[in-house]
Amino acid sequence: MSTSPTVAVFRPDDERLERAADVLETLGAEPVPDPMLSVDATDATPRSDADYVVFTSKTGAELVSEAGWKPGDETVCAIGPATADALREEGYAVDLVPDEFTSSGLVTALESRVDGARVEVARSDHGSAVLLEGLDDAGAYVHETILYRLVRPAESGRSAELAAEGGLEAACFTSSLTVEHFLDAAAERGIREDALEGLAGATVGVIGEPTAETAASHGIDVDVVPEEATFDALAHETVAAIPSRSE
């Protein structure tokens, strides 16, 4: 095994992919940037009659600003610190960030507050059902606004080819959709089974249990699920778990 293990990373093809690659390089890995997500904005904004508005991504924060969203008295919630920072950078106040940076964490933080309240969930078209169902179970009147759609870039798939050749030593999946798009890119090239075999011999890290469940449903064994749902934690723990690094 090389002194610099090859690690696939799947982020939108913007500064997030560049930053993720930089993080992996600082950990001594050779990043394989493969943009499995592309953002198609809808120009929608959250409804104005909500008591709570929930954002689940940095992208959503930026897009509502571009679309001219003007908040009123809503309680603004962010799924984690990166989303909160993005909202603040766009000039929005953030009232709540859960202790656990996941959909389940948001439900836990809000469930005692939202009985009878109008909750607007502003996010992508591939958001987890956990958030909507959890808030609904807590007695909230939940409405979802789709701020953007996530599609797979036509050029994606370099990591699948590398996995199929046995040249990928780790992969960092940041959502269920990145898992599905990875496999779609492999299938498009006629190498799905070979890519799966390549992942079986690699260290696979994922953010959150929903992503782990998606991976498992497709026959991918997951080695790392960091307690903190951030890319930094995922990168650190995945690289540390690569056999040459953990021995």
Side-chain angles (χ1 to χ4, degrees):
M1 187 175 289
S2 68
T3 57
S4 296
T6 51
V7 182
V9 56
F10 315 107
R11 304 290 277 164
D13 194 8
D14 54 27
E15 73 278 0
R16 283 166 292 183
L17 189 62
E18 294 174 8
R19 181 186 177 280
D22 288 344
V23 170
L24 288 169
E25 284 185 345
T26 64
L27 296 172
E30 179 185 342
V32 181
D34 201 356
M36 287 292 170
L37 302 173
S38 182
V39 175
D40 180 17
T42 65
D43 297 323
T45 56
R47 289 171 54 167
S48 60
D49 62 347
D51 300 304
Y52 293 81
V53 178
V54 177
F55 292 95
T56 63
S57 70
K58 176 179 181 288
T59 299
E62 294 167 348
L63 290 179
V64 291
S65 178
E66 292 174 11
W69 180 55
K70 304 293 184 185
D73 297 327
E74 305 96 327
T75 296
V76 176
C77 311
I79 196 168
T83 303
D85 287 347
L87 285 163
R88 294 185 184 109
E89 286 173 10
E90 299 298 335
Y92 300 120
V94 177
D95 303 298
L96 183 147
V97 179
D99 293 331
E100 179 188 331
F101 311 144
T102 64
S103 293
S104 297
L106 272 170
V107 172
T108 299
L110 288 170
E111 60 188 353
S112 65
R113 309 178 181 212
V114 296
D115 188 12
R118 295 182 297 275
V119 180
E120 178 80 351
V121 176
R123 60 182 187 174
S124 80
D125 64 330
H126 281 85
S128 166
V130 169
L131 183 54
L132 301 185
E133 292 172 358
L135 293 172
D136 184 70
D137 289 344
Y141 298 100
V142 185
H143 180 266
E144 182 181 35
T145 291
I146 302 301
L147 302 178
Y148 57 101
R149 299 180 179 89
L150 291 170
V151 298
R152 179 171 62 86
E155 68 273 15
S156 65
R158 177 187 171 205
S159 60
E161 293 175 355
L162 199 57
E165 295 165 1
L168 194 66
E169 289 163 72
C172 294
F173 291 101
T174 51
S175 68
S176 291
L177 198 57
T178 59
V179 175
E180 293 165 358
H181 282 183
F182 172 90
L183 294 174
D184 288 345
E188 193 174 76
R189 289 161 171 76
I191 57 172
R192 189 178 189 277
E193 293 307 314
D194 289 338
L196 281 170
E197 185 176 339
L199 284 183
T203 299
V204 176
V206 305
I207 285 184
E209 289 302 329
T211 307
E213 291 170 7
T214 299
S217 73
H218 290 289
I220 299 171
D221 291 331
V222 173
D223 302 293
V224 174
V225 185
E227 185 174 339
E228 182 179 290
T230 64
F231 181 78
D232 282 14
L234 175 64
H236 279 77
E237 294 187 29
T238 300
V239 171
I242 296 172
S244 64
R245 297 305 177 92
S246 57
E247 290 174 353

